[in-house]
């Protein structure tokens, strides 16, 4: 789900920056804002590729990916709110922008919490195997065979 939405919105920002900017900002988009919007879209597409490859990552690497998303999205929320205060964005943009960045942060926080929870479950004693149970029941046998 994370890969799909990040890729979709990144592709939209990359392919249609002027169309998206027309309803987001109160002034006419110029070349710089279009270029920055395309760059943002490219970064989102790259982040979606990392997200799709994350299933093979170690837990520590997944935490780093999630933390980088949180660290990247919180300033984005700050910029959107600051721009709204200055009157540069439309009301629809502030709603969509904060909801999108907030969902990105919530998804990353949920990923970190799930990994911490599963680590606390699986860090306890490993499950007993049949050989270990036989050895405990009959300590005179070697290697649990008997």
């Amino acid at each position: 789900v994370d890969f799909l939405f990040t890729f979709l919105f990144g592709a939209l920002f990359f392919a249609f920056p002027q169309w998206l900017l027309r309803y987001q900002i109160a002034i006419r988009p110029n070349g710089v804002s279009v270029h920055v919007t395309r760059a943002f879209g490219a970064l989102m597409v790259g982040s979606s590729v990392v997200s799709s490859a994350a299933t093979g990552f170690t837990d520590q690497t997944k935490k780093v990916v999630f933390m980088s998303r949180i660290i990247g999205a919180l300033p984005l929320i700050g910029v959107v709110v600051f721009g709204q205060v200055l009157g540069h964005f439309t009301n629809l943009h502030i709603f969509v922008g904060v909801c999108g960045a907030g969902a990105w942060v919530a998804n990353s926080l949920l990923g970190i919490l799930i990994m911490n929870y599963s680590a606390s479950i699986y860090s306890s004693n490993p499950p007993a195997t049949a050989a270990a149970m036989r050895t405990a029941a009959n300590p005179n046998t070697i290697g649990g065979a008997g």
Side-chain angles (χ1 to χ4, degrees):
V1 172
D2 182 56
F3 161 75
L4 180 66
F5 284 117
T6 304
F7 182 81
L8 176 70
F9 284 107
L12 285 173
F13 275 109
F14 188 77
F16 307 108
Q18 291 174 336
W19 179 69
L20 291 169
L21 285 173
R22 280 189 200 130
Y23 83 89
Q24 289 181 342
I25 58 178
I27 59 174
R28 182 177 164 89
N30 59 19
V32 174
S33 59
V34 169
H35 176 71
V36 170
T37 302
R38 275 203 179 110
F40 178 68
L43 289 172
M44 286 185 75
V45 169
S47 182
S48 71
V49 171
V50 171
S51 176
S52 70
T55 55
F57 290 175
T58 64
D59 283 347
Q60 187 62 31
T61 307
K62 286 180 187 177
K63 285 182 183 179
V64 169
V65 170
F66 285 140
M67 286 305 293
S68 68
R69 291 238 174 126
I70 292 169
I71 291 169
L74 289 178
L76 177 64
I77 292 173
V79 166
V80 169
V81 170
F82 183 69
Q84 180 66 21
V85 169
L86 294 178
H88 294 302
F89 297 124
T90 63
N91 288 335
L92 177 64
H93 177 262
I94 189 74
F95 176 75
V96 173
V98 171
C99 287
W104 217 17
V105 169
N107 180 43
S108 296
L109 286 174
L110 182 64
I112 289 173
L113 291 174
I114 287 172
M115 283 191 313
N116 287 341
Y117 178 72
S118 64
S120 68
I121 289 175
Y122 296 119
S123 66
S124 61
N125 293 333
T129 62
M133 292 173 72
R134 284 193 302 267
T135 302
N138 189 359
N140 295 331
T141 61
I142 298 175

